[in-house]
Amino acid sequence: MKGRFITLEGGEGTGKSTQIKLLAEWLNRCGVETVLTKEPGGTPIGRELRQMLCTGDKDKFDAVAEALLYYADRRIHMQQKVLPALADGQWVISDRFADSTMAYQYYGYNKRVPKQMLEQLYAMTVGEFYPDLTIILDLDPRIGLERSLQRNGAAEVKETRHESRGNEFHQNLRRGFLEIAQTSPRYVVVNADQSIEQLHHDIVKIVEERLLKP
Ligand code: TMP
């Protein structure tokens, strides 16, 4: 079977990582081999970049520098993990991909980074390659941020660099994801304000319909 590339996107605390695990388990039960991964941090070098990007002072570098670093992570991730797994026939499920850069670094910062720069970075580092399916988990940022800050409260390394941006940033981000979802049929928006089981059920239905039906 041909490998497929599924990405999950959304703001903070939308439940992506839990849903990715459940989806992979379900696919495995259907006989599909999966690779679970994430951005930033899907490779050893990516984990170093993740620490730079997600911890510390929110203003330690600006959105342009952020975009470059996220794309450096993405390039390494594609070369070292995503493309080899797809070539091997596995299904790759990634917790975030390039839509996060458009949503966070462009929409989140109220369009202060040139959109064209992000599109060029995509073309240069990823090329003519797109996920087969992108599921956007949509949630009121007030609910998501509370969840995320609670989780970080218990964690050893606090990855709160983006969480600490204000409400406006996170509202822009949510609107950004919804706008991005209008640009191609590969996007599906799911309401993330429901139980883990219900959300999983919705995601499975989408994957079945889009990728498993003959
Ligand atoms: P996460 O594990 O919660 O998804 O953490 C990754 C953080 O990095 C999250 O705050 C979103 C942010 N991010 C960007 O700002 N741009 C990107 O391109 C990606 C992949 C993530």
Side-chain angles (χ1 to χ4, degrees):
M1 205 198 281
K2 184 174 161 277
R4 301 291 196 139
F5 185 34
I6 304 174
T7 59
L8 261 76
E9 296 279 7
E12 306 297 327
T14 50
K16 288 179 286 88
S17 23
T18 306
Q19 291 301 328
I20 276 185
K21 280 191 212 114
L22 293 174
L23 175 61
E25 283 166 16
W26 181 82
L27 281 168
N28 292 344
R29 287 199 296 275
C30 297
V32 175
E33 248 188 88
T34 53
V35 171
L36 292 195
T37 190
K38 66 177 174 185
E39 288 192 0
T43 61
I45 298 170
R47 283 189 273 286
E48 292 181 37
L49 288 167
R50 183 181 175 97
Q51 210 218 332
M52 266 182 236
L53 282 159
C54 299
T55 64
D57 189 279
K58 70 178 177 19
D59 297 319
K60 66 183 179 180
F61 39 70
D62 75 353
V64 171
E66 268 175 25
L68 294 169
L69 289 169
Y70 280 113
Y71 264 100
D73 168 72
R74 186 157 302 130
R75 172 89 179 168
I76 298 163
H77 187 214
M78 292 294 297
Q79 288 179 329
Q80 297 185 0
K81 198 163 177 188
V82 178
L83 294 177
L86 291 173
D88 203 33
Q90 291 170 310
W91 287 36
V92 178
I93 313 174
S94 186
D95 187 339
R96 299 192 185 280
F97 188 59
D99 296 308
S100 275
T101 314
M102 193 56 87
Y104 278 77
Q105 277 68 50
Y106 178 67
Y107 288 102
Y109 288 103
N110 225 347
K111 310 185 180 175
R112 283 199 297 270
V113 176
K115 192 180 198 179
Q116 221 191 357
M117 177 192 125
L118 301 185
E119 287 166 351
Q120 282 171 356
L121 280 172
Y122 190 99
M124 284 164 57
T125 56
V126 183
E128 281 291 312
F129 171 88
Y130 303 92
D132 295 289
L133 172 66
T134 295
I135 300 171
I136 296 176
L137 304 193
D138 179 57
L139 183 67
D140 182 337
R142 284 172 302 189
I143 303 174
L145 279 170
E146 202 180 296
R147 278 191 200 163
S148 175
L149 289 170
Q150 255 177 22
R151 185 182 54 214
N152 264 294
E156 219 170 277
V157 182
K158 310 266 182 255
E159 293 188 329
T160 49
R161 200 168 153 253
H162 292 294
E163 275 90 339
S164 63
R165 303 190 192 285
N167 183 47
E168 195 194 333
F169 180 94
H170 292 281
Q171 295 290 351
N172 288 340
L173 177 68
R174 182 187 196 189
R175 276 195 295 274
F177 273 123
L178 296 176
E179 229 174 283
I180 291 169
Q182 303 300 312
T183 61
S184 157
R186 87 169 145 95
Y187 297 103
V188 184
V189 178
V190 184
N191 170 23
D193 190 11
Q194 35 180 355
S195 70
I196 291 176
E197 295 74 24
Q198 188 57 46
L199 188 50
H200 172 58
H201 178 257
D202 286 3
I203 291 174
V204 159
K205 256 181 38 197
I206 295 162
V207 172
E208 256 184 328
E209 245 161 58
R210 296 283 188 117
L211 302 179
L212 287 171
K213 271 199 182 150

mmCIF file of all heavy atoms in Angstrom, residues 98-124:
data_model
loop_
_atom_site.group_PDB
_atom_site.id
_atom_site.type_symbol
_atom_site.label_atom_id
_atom_site.label_comp_id
_atom_site.label_asym_id
_atom_site.label_seq_id
_atom_site.Cartn_x
_atom_site.Cartn_y
_atom_site.Cartn_z
ATOM 1 N N ALA A 98 3.660 22.447 8.025
ATOM 2 C CA ALA A 98 3.830 23.824 7.537
ATOM 3 C C ALA A 98 2.647 24.754 7.816
ATOM 4 O O ALA A 98 2.831 25.966 7.916
ATOM 5 C CB ALA A 98 4.109 23.790 6.040
ATOM 6 N N ASP A 99 1.436 24.206 7.943
ATOM 7 C CA ASP A 99 0.302 25.095 8.223
ATOM 8 C C ASP A 99 0.468 25.791 9.565
ATOM 9 O O ASP A 99 -0.052 26.885 9.765
ATOM 10 C CB ASP A 99 -1.013 24.301 8.189
ATOM 11 C CG ASP A 99 -1.266 23.742 6.798
ATOM 12 O OD1 ASP A 99 -1.222 24.527 5.827
ATOM 13 O OD2 ASP A 99 -1.464 22.524 6.675
ATOM 14 N N SER A 100 1.205 25.168 10.473
ATOM 15 C CA SER A 100 1.459 25.827 11.761
ATOM 16 C C SER A 100 2.307 27.080 11.561
ATOM 17 O O SER A 100 2.118 28.071 12.265
ATOM 18 C CB SER A 100 2.187 24.890 12.732
ATOM 19 O OG SER A 100 1.264 24.083 13.411
ATOM 20 N N THR A 101 3.250 27.037 10.625
ATOM 21 C CA THR A 101 4.079 28.232 10.411
ATOM 22 C C THR A 101 3.209 29.358 9.852
ATOM 23 O O THR A 101 3.323 30.512 10.277
ATOM 24 C CB THR A 101 5.251 27.935 9.450
ATOM 25 O OG1 THR A 101 5.856 26.710 9.839
ATOM 26 C CG2 THR A 101 6.288 29.048 9.496
ATOM 27 N N MET A 102 2.332 29.017 8.904
ATOM 28 C CA MET A 102 1.442 30.051 8.352
ATOM 29 C C MET A 102 0.511 30.584 9.447
ATOM 30 O O MET A 102 0.288 31.788 9.563
ATOM 31 C CB MET A 102 0.644 29.462 7.188
ATOM 32 C CG MET A 102 -0.063 30.473 6.343
ATOM 33 S SD MET A 102 1.014 31.755 5.645
ATOM 34 C CE MET A 102 1.591 31.002 4.125
ATOM 35 N N ALA A 103 0.006 29.695 10.275
ATOM 36 C CA ALA A 103 -0.945 30.134 11.307
ATOM 37 C C ALA A 103 -0.245 30.930 12.413
ATOM 38 O O ALA A 103 -0.711 32.012 12.788
ATOM 39 C CB ALA A 103 -1.654 28.920 11.899
ATOM 40 N N TYR A 104 0.857 30.432 12.914
ATOM 41 C CA TYR A 104 1.527 31.118 14.039
ATOM 42 C C TYR A 104 2.317 32.329 13.569
ATOM 43 O O TYR A 104 2.130 33.429 14.074
ATOM 44 C CB TYR A 104 2.473 30.155 14.784
ATOM 45 C CG TYR A 104 1.786 29.280 15.789
ATOM 46 C CD1 TYR A 104 1.057 28.163 15.368
ATOM 47 C CD2 TYR A 104 1.845 29.530 17.154
ATOM 48 C CE1 TYR A 104 0.412 27.338 16.287
ATOM 49 C CE2 TYR A 104 1.203 28.717 18.077
ATOM 50 C CZ TYR A 104 0.496 27.623 17.636
ATOM 51 O OH TYR A 104 -0.141 26.817 18.547
ATOM 52 N N GLN A 105 3.258 32.104 12.609
ATOM 53 C CA GLN A 105 4.185 33.188 12.277
ATOM 54 C C GLN A 105 3.540 34.240 11.373
ATOM 55 O O GLN A 105 3.995 35.371 11.332
ATOM 56 C CB GLN A 105 5.467 32.628 11.649
ATOM 57 C CG GLN A 105 6.478 32.137 12.686
ATOM 58 C CD GLN A 105 6.018 30.902 13.448
ATOM 59 O OE1 GLN A 105 5.583 29.914 12.873
ATOM 60 N NE2 GLN A 105 6.114 30.959 14.770
ATOM 61 N N TYR A 106 2.480 33.901 10.637
ATOM 62 C CA TYR A 106 1.819 34.906 9.790
ATOM 63 C C TYR A 106 0.549 35.440 10.466
ATOM 64 O O TYR A 106 0.477 36.592 10.869
ATOM 65 C CB TYR A 106 1.510 34.308 8.416
ATOM 66 C CG TYR A 106 0.781 35.257 7.489
ATOM 67 C CD1 TYR A 106 1.404 36.410 6.997
ATOM 68 C CD2 TYR A 106 -0.543 35.021 7.126
ATOM 69 C CE1 TYR A 106 0.714 37.286 6.160
ATOM 70 C CE2 TYR A 106 -1.224 35.886 6.282
ATOM 71 C CZ TYR A 106 -0.592 37.016 5.808
ATOM 72 O OH TYR A 106 -1.265 37.873 4.982
ATOM 73 N N TYR A 107 -0.422 34.577 10.657
ATOM 74 C CA TYR A 107 -1.698 35.062 11.230
ATOM 75 C C TYR A 107 -1.541 35.455 12.698
ATOM 76 O O TYR A 107 -2.047 36.487 13.129
ATOM 77 C CB TYR A 107 -2.786 34.004 11.078
ATOM 78 C CG TYR A 107 -3.261 33.859 9.652
ATOM 79 C CD1 TYR A 107 -2.837 32.797 8.855
ATOM 80 C CD2 TYR A 107 -4.128 34.788 9.091
ATOM 81 C CE1 TYR A 107 -3.268 32.659 7.549
ATOM 82 C CE2 TYR A 107 -4.568 34.656 7.773
ATOM 83 C CZ TYR A 107 -4.133 33.595 7.015
ATOM 84 O OH TYR A 107 -4.563 33.461 5.719
ATOM 85 N N GLY A 108 -0.853 34.625 13.458
ATOM 86 C CA GLY A 108 -0.705 34.909 14.898
ATOM 87 C C GLY A 108 -0.120 36.287 15.131
ATOM 88 O O GLY A 108 -0.621 37.082 15.932
ATOM 89 N N TYR A 109 0.933 36.607 14.380
ATOM 90 C CA TYR A 109 1.599 37.916 14.524
ATOM 91 C C TYR A 109 0.897 38.992 13.691
ATOM 92 O O TYR A 109 1.542 39.962 13.291
ATOM 93 C CB TYR A 109 3.059 37.822 14.093
ATOM 94 C CG TYR A 109 3.934 37.066 15.051
ATOM 95 C CD1 TYR A 109 4.331 35.763 14.777
ATOM 96 C CD2 TYR A 109 4.380 37.655 16.232
ATOM 97 C CE1 TYR A 109 5.138 35.060 15.645
ATOM 98 C CE2 TYR A 109 5.185 36.955 17.112
ATOM 99 C CZ TYR A 109 5.559 35.659 16.817
ATOM 100 O OH TYR A 109 6.358 34.970 17.678
ATOM 101 N N ASN A 110 -0.361 38.762 13.419
ATOM 102 C CA ASN A 110 -1.148 39.761 12.703
ATOM 103 C C ASN A 110 -0.530 40.162 11.366
ATOM 104 O O ASN A 110 -0.460 41.338 11.014
ATOM 105 C CB ASN A 110 -1.351 40.991 13.591
ATOM 106 C CG ASN A 110 -2.779 41.453 13.538
ATOM 107 O OD1 ASN A 110 -3.535 41.010 12.658
ATOM 108 N ND2 ASN A 110 -3.147 42.344 14.430
ATOM 109 N N LYS A 111 -0.065 39.169 10.625
ATOM 110 C CA LYS A 111 0.424 39.331 9.251
ATOM 111 C C LYS A 111 1.645 40.241 9.134
ATOM 112 O O LYS A 111 1.858 40.852 8.104
ATOM 113 C CB LYS A 111 -0.724 39.832 8.348
ATOM 114 C CG LYS A 111 -1.991 38.993 8.495
ATOM 115 C CD LYS A 111 -3.065 39.396 7.523
ATOM 116 C CE LYS A 111 -4.296 38.502 7.726
ATOM 117 N NZ LYS A 111 -5.416 38.868 6.920
ATOM 118 N N ARG A 112 2.442 40.313 10.208
ATOM 119 C CA ARG A 112 3.626 41.183 10.118
ATOM 120 C C ARG A 112 4.765 40.532 9.344
ATOM 121 O O ARG A 112 5.661 41.212 8.884
ATOM 122 C CB ARG A 112 4.089 41.595 11.523
ATOM 123 C CG ARG A 112 3.215 42.694 12.127
ATOM 124 C CD ARG A 112 3.941 43.393 13.264
ATOM 125 N NE ARG A 112 4.219 42.469 14.354
ATOM 126 C CZ ARG A 112 3.382 42.254 15.367
ATOM 127 N NH1 ARG A 112 2.237 42.885 15.430
ATOM 128 N NH2 ARG A 112 3.707 41.421 16.325
ATOM 129 N N VAL A 113 4.740 39.212 9.194
ATOM 130 C CA VAL A 113 5.766 38.515 8.403
ATOM 131 C C VAL A 113 5.206 38.390 6.986
ATOM 132 O O VAL A 113 4.047 38.037 6.813
ATOM 133 C CB VAL A 113 6.004 37.104 8.972
ATOM 134 C CG1 VAL A 113 6.977 36.318 8.132
ATOM 135 C CG2 VAL A 113 6.501 37.198 10.397
ATOM 136 N N PRO A 114 6.010 38.679 5.954
ATOM 137 C CA PRO A 114 5.453 38.558 4.604
ATOM 138 C C PRO A 114 5.019 37.118 4.293
ATOM 139 O O PRO A 114 5.788 36.184 4.475
ATOM 140 C CB PRO A 114 6.611 38.979 3.693
ATOM 141 C CG PRO A 114 7.615 39.611 4.574
ATOM 142 C CD PRO A 114 7.400 39.134 5.967
ATOM 143 N N LYS A 115 3.773 37.004 3.840
ATOM 144 C CA LYS A 115 3.240 35.678 3.505
ATOM 145 C C LYS A 115 4.081 35.025 2.408
ATOM 146 O O LYS A 115 4.328 33.826 2.402
ATOM 147 C CB LYS A 115 1.799 35.860 3.020
ATOM 148 C CG LYS A 115 1.028 34.592 2.904
ATOM 149 C CD LYS A 115 -0.369 34.905 2.421
ATOM 150 C CE LYS A 115 -1.303 33.758 2.698
ATOM 151 N NZ LYS A 115 -2.661 34.057 2.266
ATOM 152 N N GLN A 116 4.521 35.892 1.470
ATOM 153 C CA GLN A 116 5.313 35.402 0.345
ATOM 154 C C GLN A 116 6.600 34.722 0.814
ATOM 155 O O GLN A 116 7.044 33.741 0.228
ATOM 156 C CB GLN A 116 5.673 36.597 -0.525
ATOM 157 C CG GLN A 116 5.564 36.314 -1.985
ATOM 158 C CD GLN A 116 6.190 37.431 -2.792
ATOM 159 O OE1 GLN A 116 6.661 38.439 -2.241
ATOM 160 N NE2 GLN A 116 6.216 37.258 -4.087
ATOM 161 N N MET A 117 7.172 35.272 1.887
ATOM 162 C CA MET A 117 8.404 34.683 2.410
ATOM 163 C C MET A 117 8.123 33.241 2.866
ATOM 164 O O MET A 117 8.896 32.327 2.579
ATOM 165 C CB MET A 117 8.920 35.508 3.583
ATOM 166 C CG MET A 117 10.151 34.931 4.227
ATOM 167 S SD MET A 117 10.515 35.724 5.805
ATOM 168 C CE MET A 117 10.579 34.292 6.855
ATOM 169 N N LEU A 118 6.989 33.053 3.534
ATOM 170 C CA LEU A 118 6.658 31.707 4.028
ATOM 171 C C LEU A 118 6.368 30.768 2.856
ATOM 172 O O LEU A 118 6.759 29.596 2.870
ATOM 173 C CB LEU A 118 5.471 31.758 4.988
ATOM 174 C CG LEU A 118 5.658 32.633 6.229
ATOM 175 C CD1 LEU A 118 4.457 32.510 7.153
ATOM 176 C CD2 LEU A 118 6.930 32.253 6.987
ATOM 177 N N GLU A 119 5.711 31.297 1.824
ATOM 178 C CA GLU A 119 5.423 30.459 0.654
ATOM 179 C C GLU A 119 6.720 30.069 -0.057
ATOM 180 O O GLU A 119 6.883 28.941 -0.518
ATOM 181 C CB GLU A 119 4.474 31.198 -0.295
ATOM 182 C CG GLU A 119 3.068 31.257 0.280
ATOM 183 C CD GLU A 119 2.141 32.250 -0.430
ATOM 184 O OE1 GLU A 119 2.621 33.033 -1.283
ATOM 185 O OE2 GLU A 119 0.949 32.255 -0.112
ATOM 186 N N GLN A 120 7.657 31.029 -0.118
ATOM 187 C CA GLN A 120 8.943 30.719 -0.767
ATOM 188 C C GLN A 120 9.736 29.702 0.051
ATOM 189 O O GLN A 120 10.371 28.806 -0.498
ATOM 190 C CB GLN A 120 9.754 31.995 -0.969
ATOM 191 C CG GLN A 120 9.254 32.788 -2.166
ATOM 192 C CD GLN A 120 9.901 34.158 -2.269
ATOM 193 O OE1 GLN A 120 10.681 34.566 -1.407
ATOM 194 N NE2 GLN A 120 9.565 34.874 -3.316
ATOM 195 N N LEU A 121 9.687 29.868 1.369
ATOM 196 C CA LEU A 121 10.401 28.905 2.219
ATOM 197 C C LEU A 121 9.834 27.501 2.002
ATOM 198 O O LEU A 121 10.573 26.524 1.932
ATOM 199 C CB LEU A 121 10.273 29.290 3.692
ATOM 200 C CG LEU A 121 11.209 30.390 4.180
ATOM 201 C CD1 LEU A 121 10.838 30.806 5.607
ATOM 202 C CD2 LEU A 121 12.661 29.915 4.150
ATOM 203 N N TYR A 122 8.518 27.420 1.886
ATOM 204 C CA TYR A 122 7.888 26.111 1.637
ATOM 205 C C TYR A 122 8.410 25.534 0.321
ATOM 206 O O TYR A 122 8.851 24.380 0.256
ATOM 207 C CB TYR A 122 6.356 26.238 1.588
ATOM 208 C CG TYR A 122 5.648 24.898 1.585
ATOM 209 C CD1 TYR A 122 5.119 24.387 2.761
ATOM 210 C CD2 TYR A 122 5.523 24.139 0.422
ATOM 211 C CE1 TYR A 122 4.476 23.152 2.780
ATOM 212 C CE2 TYR A 122 4.894 22.899 0.432
ATOM 213 C CZ TYR A 122 4.371 22.412 1.614
ATOM 214 O OH TYR A 122 3.753 21.174 1.634
ATOM 215 N N ALA A 123 8.370 26.362 -0.724
ATOM 216 C CA ALA A 123 8.798 25.885 -2.045
ATOM 217 C C ALA A 123 10.263 25.439 -2.020
ATOM 218 O O ALA A 123 10.626 24.426 -2.630
ATOM 219 C CB ALA A 123 8.577 26.987 -3.076
ATOM 220 N N MET A 124 11.090 26.198 -1.300
ATOM 221 C CA MET A 124 12.521 25.875 -1.282
ATOM 222 C C MET A 124 12.852 24.663 -0.425
ATOM 223 O O MET A 124 13.783 23.915 -0.712
ATOM 224 C CB MET A 124 13.323 27.068 -0.739
ATOM 225 C CG MET A 124 13.478 28.200 -1.742
ATOM 226 S SD MET A 124 13.994 29.711 -0.901
ATOM 227 C CE MET A 124 15.486 29.168 -0.114
#
